Amino acid sequence: MESIRFEELGITEPILRAVKDMGFEEATPIQGQAIPLQKQGADVIGQAQTGTGKTAAFGIPLLEKIDPENRKTQGIILCPTRELAIQVAEELRKLAKYMQGVKVLPIYGGQDMRTQIRSLKGGVEIVVGTPGRVMDHMRRRTLKLDDVHTVVLDEADEMLDMGFIEDIETILAQAPGERQTVLFSATMPEEIQEIARKFQRDPKLVRVLKKELTVPAIEQYYYMVKQKDKLEVLCRLLDMYNPKLSLVFCNTKKQVDDLVVGLQGRGYFAEGLHGDLKQNLRDRVMLGFRSGHTDILVATDVAARGIDVDDVEAVFNYDIPQDEEYYVHRIGRTGRAGREGLAFSFVVGREIYKLKDIQRYCRTKIQERRIPSVSDVSRVKTDLILRRMEETIAQEDLGKFVKIIEGKMDGGEYSTLELAAAFLKTFLGEEGEEIDESPVGATGRSERRGGRRDHDRDHDRDRDDSSEGMVRLFVNLGKNMGIRPGDIVGAIAGESGIPGRLIGSIDMYDRYTFVEVPKDQVNTVLRGMKNCKIKGKPISVERANVRK
């Protein structure tokens, strides 16, 4: 499809100004197809996934239909997750920047109902919400659909997978019959097609072709691994490529929890995201990732819906996704806005056949690579440092530093080669010692420490050497009660507010657990854990009277 400028789509001036402020000039393929149809009043089925610009594809025509003088709700957008609802609402607000009097409100579970009711009573033209919470407000009559002229289903297949199908049907059945219904979905299972047949009028189908689903700038690789070696391989790749931000995808919530504990135990700044986390902890995790305080976000596919962070440099498929579409969703979260990206997949045994299905579906080549050895990691890191030095030589004024080096050489104690080697050794730290090939599983903690960003190195060393700065606490819950290490970390972080990365070792037994926390955070943790429950079980936390 030929590129189309937004001016050619006949968009009104206020929205066009906002689009230009957002830095966009040409419409994406899904926008170029869907916007004209919706402006004509047609019902639309859009087959597209995250990263294709679908929010603007349905948001621009919806905003153009809004009457700012009418304070009643005129548009409803249903989303599968809280994160996606917030993201869509933020995008619509940006598009409505120059439209006077248009209010957009996200409503979702986990937020105080009274706050939402107060906002709705003040008058809201567009509501973006999860089906369950929209239904709650409809039952309370705090959300009335009498003036609704547009209903949008965003990520319809995800709402189906999450069990929202009955709520969706109820909402559509109670919305005015004379309305426009727009449905966006990455896949089109039979249940979604049935909703279209039942609630849409002669819908027009627009789609992004499969060949456009992957991003050419993304380098895609896979590694044949054993299940027990996945964490080790992940750590080596993180150390080798040192991405600014990384997304790691797992197929289950338990795997997310276990992997986060494993990464944190090795000193990485990692946090997890899945549906069982409390809302305040989910907010904290996402804020940390967007701000760069968390380097690695480990997530399930559903929890990752709505995550739109431009600086993700690498995506890791820790588990091979069960659906080919999910692979597209996952890797599409890197290589955004014309940037280059990396995608790595860990393949165990017969999963290679699933990977071949993915390659056929995406019409792409995923190259096999050998698992890097410890010396491979060191060599790559050395090359990166040398490239940085070359850039510094080319771009910076090094005159005063040259004089310092010359002063050291005047005494004849050192050669320039020895000084350069010493600087390189200082950059690499203990990794510079690693020159032999090591099998997977043989890497020690000190070998990985240099893999994180340089500005964190000193802080990490402090953590490694500060066991005397940690206090051991006794927790009255253990493995026999269905509790996992991730549950302990999540509860402490969520109730006390301390970052999960500051929590030390966790020793879990059948009926109790020992956990280390920073000495200066002990009282905060003890206060926060009073009257707390994990999975419905009362938790008691106190200082341990046994030494490690």
Side-chain angles (χ1 to χ4, degrees):
M1 177 180 175
E2 294 184 4
S3 59
I4 299 176
R5 296 180 65 85
F6 280 102
E7 291 90 338
E8 299 176 59
L9 295 175
I11 296 172
T12 55
E13 183 60 29
I15 296 179
L16 194 58
R17 286 177 61 197
V19 168
K20 289 183 177 179
D21 283 356
M22 295 165 71
F24 301 121
E25 293 184 358
E26 294 182 347
T28 65
I30 195 68
Q31 292 165 356
Q33 296 177 66
I35 290 175
L37 290 172
Q38 291 171 81
K39 285 170 67 68
Q40 295 167 14
D43 286 0
V44 170
I45 298 173
Q47 190 166 357
Q49 49 283 316
T50 301
T52 56
K54 59 183 175 57
T55 303
F58 62 70
I60 289 174
L62 171 57
L63 285 168
E64 291 190 332
K65 291 175 65 178
I66 294 298
D67 176 9
E69 301 299 321
N70 182 356
R71 304 303 298 151
K72 295 180 180 179
T73 300
Q74 302 166 52
I76 299 282
I77 301 172
L78 300 179
C79 301
T81 65
R82 175 183 188 275
E83 286 75 24
L84 186 58
I86 293 172
Q87 179 190 327
V88 168
E90 289 176 350
E91 186 86 357
L92 290 180
R93 289 193 189 110
K94 291 177 184 176
L95 291 168
K97 179 179 178 180
Y98 297 107
M99 297 178 66
Q100 297 297 319
V102 176
K103 287 190 177 181
V104 182
L105 178 70
I107 59 174
Y108 43 80
Q111 188 185 45
D112 183 63
M113 178 67 80
R114 290 170 297 180
T115 301
Q116 293 178 358
I117 291 173
R118 190 162 59 247
S119 298
L120 287 167
K121 284 184 176 179
V124 175
E125 281 82 5
I126 300 175
V127 168
V128 187
T130 52
R133 184 49 64 100
V134 169
M135 284 285 293
D136 286 343
H137 283 288
M138 289 170 60
R139 282 191 289 266
R140 292 168 179 260
R141 300 290 294 165
T142 49
L143 175 61
K144 299 177 182 179
L145 309 187
D146 300 347
D147 286 52
V148 168
H149 53 60
T150 306
V151 177
V152 179
L153 309 184
D154 191 12
E155 307 282 16
D157 52 351
E158 286 302 311
M159 289 193 282
L160 171 67
D161 290 343
M162 295 173 70
F164 287 136
I165 191 73
E166 291 184 2
D167 288 348
I168 291 171
E169 291 186 342
T170 300
I171 294 167
L172 290 172
Q174 294 187 22
E178 293 297 318
R179 67 167 189 274
Q180 186 175 27
T181 307
V182 179
L183 185 156
F184 275 83
S185 185
T187 59
M188 294 299 297
E190 177 57 34
E191 293 89 340
I192 298 299
Q193 296 179 44
E194 179 59 29
I195 286 179
R197 286 192 290 266
K198 188 173 180 181
F199 294 103
Q200 289 187 299
R201 295 173 298 181
D202 188 25
K204 309 302 180 185
L205 175 64
V206 296
R207 63 170 61 175
V208 174
L209 299 177
K210 291 180 180 178
K211 67 180 180 182
E212 296 175 326
L213 292 177
T214 56
V215 182
I218 300 175
E219 297 179 37
Q220 302 170 58
Y221 304 105
Y222 75 90
Y223 298 85
M224 296 299 301
V225 301
K226 295 179 180 177
Q227 185 67 35
K228 64 182 179 63
D229 292 333
K230 280 186 176 181
L231 176 59
E232 180 62 43
V233 176
L234 175 61
C235 291
R236 291 192 182 184
L237 292 173
L238 287 168
D239 289 354
M240 175 180 284
Y241 291 96
N242 196 23
K244 182 178 181 181
L245 294 178
S246 304
L247 264 171
V248 183
F249 284 96
C250 300
N251 288 346
T252 66
K253 299 175 215 176
K254 182 179 185 304
Q255 183 62 73
V256 169
D257 290 334
D258 292 345
L259 181 54
V260 168
V261 170
L263 287 170
Q264 290 177 346
R266 294 179 180 220
Y268 294 92
F269 296 138
E271 298 289 352
L273 193 69
H274 59 64
D276 284 353
L277 296 183
K278 291 183 178 179
Q279 290 299 156
N280 62 339
L281 183 55
R282 289 166 72 93
D283 290 342
R284 194 177 299 122
V285 168
M286 281 308 305
L287 179 61
F289 188 60
R290 286 196 172 98
S291 64
H293 290 106
T294 298
D295 300 336
I296 306 162
L297 182 63
V298 185
T300 57
D301 290 286
V302 171
R305 288 283 173 164
I307 296 176
D308 190 5
V309 180
D310 285 340
D311 292 332
V312 174
E313 295 181 351
V315 169
F316 296 87
N317 293 303
Y318 197 80
D319 297 324
I320 295 295
Q322 299 302 308
D323 191 309
E324 292 93 340
E325 288 280 4
Y326 283 151
Y327 180 85
V328 175
H329 286 303
R330 290 179 179 186
I331 71 167
R333 299 185 187 282
T334 184
R336 294 285 181 108
R339 297 179 178 88
E340 293 183 354
L342 293 166
F344 304 100
S345 298
F346 296 166
V347 180
V348 180
R350 296 179 63 83
E351 288 179 345
I352 188 64
Y353 298 110
K354 185 64 180 176
L355 191 75
K356 289 180 178 178
D357 290 340
I358 290 172
Q359 291 185 79
R360 281 194 296 269
Y361 173 77
C362 297
R363 302 180 188 179
T364 189
K365 176 67 176 175
I366 307 174
Q367 301 177 36
E368 182 178 11
R369 279 201 167 173
R370 177 179 61 85
I371 295 172
S373 66
V374 176
S375 58
D376 289 334
V377 176
S378 296
R379 280 195 295 271
V380 171
K381 289 182 66 60
T382 301
D383 289 342
L384 289 173
I385 291 171
L386 290 174
R387 282 204 295 272
R388 285 172 55 189
M389 288 181 175
E390 289 171 358
E391 291 172 1
T392 301
I393 292 171
Q395 298 172 8
E396 304 291 340
D397 180 4
L398 303 177
K400 65 179 180 180
F401 298 101
V402 169
K403 290 180 181 178
I404 294 173
I405 297 297
E406 287 175 342
K408 283 289 182 184
M409 292 176 62
D410 285 345
E413 295 181 58
Y414 312 107
S415 69
T416 53
L417 189 60
E418 287 174 321
L419 285 170
F423 276 116
L424 185 58
K425 172 65 168 64
T426 302
F427 264 110
L428 282 173
E430 295 173 16
E431 289 187 18
E433 309 285 347
E434 300 299 334
I435 56 174
D436 297 326
E437 297 290 319
S438 299
V440 169
T443 304
R445 182 184 185 116
S446 63
E447 297 161 359
R448 302 185 191 95
R449 195 162 54 205
R452 292 175 296 280
R453 283 177 273 170
D454 295 332
H455 73 267
D456 292 326
R457 182 184 300 275
D458 293 336
H459 174 71
D460 293 341
R461 280 210 180 102
D462 291 342
R463 285 191 63 203
D464 290 348
D465 299 333
S466 64
S467 58
E468 69 274 12
M470 304 294 283
V471 172
R472 208 171 192 216
L473 301 179
F474 172 84
V475 182
N476 67 327
L477 301 178
K479 290 186 289 188
N480 281 358
M481 303 164 196
I483 305 299
R484 302 188 301 268
D487 299 323
I488 302 289
V489 172
I492 293 176
E495 298 297 333
S496 68
I498 72 170
R501 65 175 180 271
L502 297 184
I503 298 172
S505 65
I506 298 177
D507 298 322
M508 181 165 277
Y509 299 89
D510 288 343
R511 294 177 180 163
Y512 54 87
T513 300
F514 291 106
V515 57
E516 288 184 339
V517 299
K519 186 176 182 179
D520 60 356
Q521 298 287 344
V522 171
N523 291 334
T524 301
V525 172
L526 293 176
R527 283 195 303 270
M529 299 305 288
K530 282 184 179 179
N531 303 317
C532 176
K533 292 183 179 181
I534 297 181
K535 293 186 174 179
K537 300 176 178 64
I539 182 172
S540 173
V541 182
E542 58 189 52
R543 290 175 181 263
N545 56 8
V546 253
R547 292 182 60 84
K548 186 175 175 181

